[in-house]
Amino acid sequence: MDRIYDLIIIGCGPAGLTAAIYAVRAGLSFLLLEGAYAPGGQAANTGVIENYPGLPGIQGSELSEAMVRQAEGLGASITEAEVAGIELLPEGVKRVCCRDAKAYEAKAVVIASGTSHRRLGVPGEEELEGCGVSYCAVCDGAFFRGRTAVVVGGGNTAADEAVFLAGICKEVKLIHRRDTLRADRILQERLRALENVALILNATVEEICGDGAVEAVLVRNKTDGTVSRMKTDAVFAAVGTEPQTEWCRGLLDMDSVGYIRAGEDCATNIPGIFAAGDVRTKKLRQIVTAVSDGACAIKSVQEYLNAWS
Ligand code: NAP
C-alpha cells in the first residue's frame, strides 16, 4: 500500500463534492472516489431546480457540473472506482476495497454514496428497461416526443417528471396508488393546470406489457378491483429511492431500509467513518441538505483527525 490518506470520500454527488471542496480548504490529503456513473449524483439527472437558494431555475446537470468544476478547480481529482467494502485495520486505519481489486487506505472515510431508484417490481419492468421503461425523464423523455407516457408515483419526483414530460409528450398519465399525491402543493397545482396530463388515482400498475418495447400497462383500479389495459409508449417509474449501501451492510448501523444511522455531525457507529447526504438517516433528502452534510462531515473529520494519535 503506497500511502495512508487523511480521508477517502466515496461518491461524487452534492454531498461528496461539497465534502471535497471543504477537504481541500482544510488541507487534508484525500481521495474522491466515484463509481461507473458520471459525477453529480441524482442531481445531475434532475431537470429545473427551483429550490436551491441563489440559483433559481438552474438545471440539475448545470448545478452538478458547476460543483464538479469548483471541486476540481480547487485541486480535487476524481478517481473512478466502484467500492466493494471497507476493512477496519489496526490503529484506526480504514481500507477501502474496490471491485477492480484495488484498495486505498485512509484514517477517515466519508460515505456519500447516495441512493438509487426503487423499482416497481412488476412483470415486464426488468425485461423492458431501456425499451420504454425508464427511471429518469430528463435522460430518456426525448425518445418519446409526441407520444404517450405513463408516470408512476405520487411524490415530488413523479410530479416533476410528469410536468417535464408534458412539455415533450402528446399525453401523460400519472398513476398513483393513493387518492392524494404527496408532492409539494406548488407542483400539484402546476400538474393539474396541464391539459395533456391525466391523474389516475387509487390505481396501481400490475404489469408492463410489450414485445421488445413498451406497448401498454395493466392498471388495477383499487376502488372496484377491475384491471384495464392502458396503451402507452413509455413508463417512467418515480416511486422513491433506496440507499446504495449493500456494499457496507454488516459493517455500519443502518435502519430497516438500509440508510446509515448518522446525525447532523454525520458520525456513524464506527469512529472515523462518516455518512453524508441522502445515504444517511434524515428527515429531508434534498440537494441543499446534502451539501450541508458534506460541510458538516468534514468538520467532524477534522475533529476526528485532531484526536488521531
Ligand atoms: P417519495 O417522496 O418517497 O415518493 C415516492 C412515491 O412513490 C410515493 O407517492 C409512494 O406512494 C410511491 N410508491 C412507493 N413505492 C411504490 C410502489 N411500489 N408502487 C407504486 N407507488 C409507490 O420519493 P421521490 O418523489 O423520489 O422524492 C424523494 C425525495 O426527493 C423527497 O424528499 C422529495 O421531496 C425530494 N425531491 C424533491 C424535489 C423538489 O423539491 N422539487 C424533486 C424531486 C425529489 P405513497 O405516497 O403511497 O407512499
Side-chain angles (χ1 to χ4, degrees), residues 8-12 31-37 78-85 96-104 113 247:
I8 292 173
I9 300 167
I10 301 170
C12 269
L31 268 183
L32 176 58
L33 304 182
E34 169 63 17
Y37 300 106
I78 297 172
T79 302
E80 198 181 306
E82 207 172 321
V83 175
V96 174
C97 305
C98 303
R99 297 218 188 274
D100 61 4
K102 285 189 186 148
Y104 306 97
S113 51
W247 59 274

Side-chain angles (χ1 to χ4, degrees), residues 42 46 48-51 115 117-122 152-161 175-184 186-187 190 203-205 222 237-241 259 278 283-287:
Q42 297 227 25
T46 303
V48 176
I49 295 169
E50 292 180 343
N51 53 4
T115 57
H117 301 290
R118 184 181 292 141
R119 314 228 154 215
L120 287 170
V122 298
V152 188
N156 279 331
T157 304
D160 268 349
E161 303 258 287
I175 301 177
H176 180 43
R177 63 186 180 184
R178 292 184 200 275
D179 56 3
T180 49
L181 303 178
R182 69 159 77 178
D184 292 347
I186 188 171
L187 287 174
R190 202 167 292 163
T204 53
V205 170
K222 286 175 72 183
V239 294
T241 52
Y259 288 102
D278 284 4
K283 224 175 194 174
L284 182 64
R285 294 190 171 85
Q286 297 267 288
I287 300 173

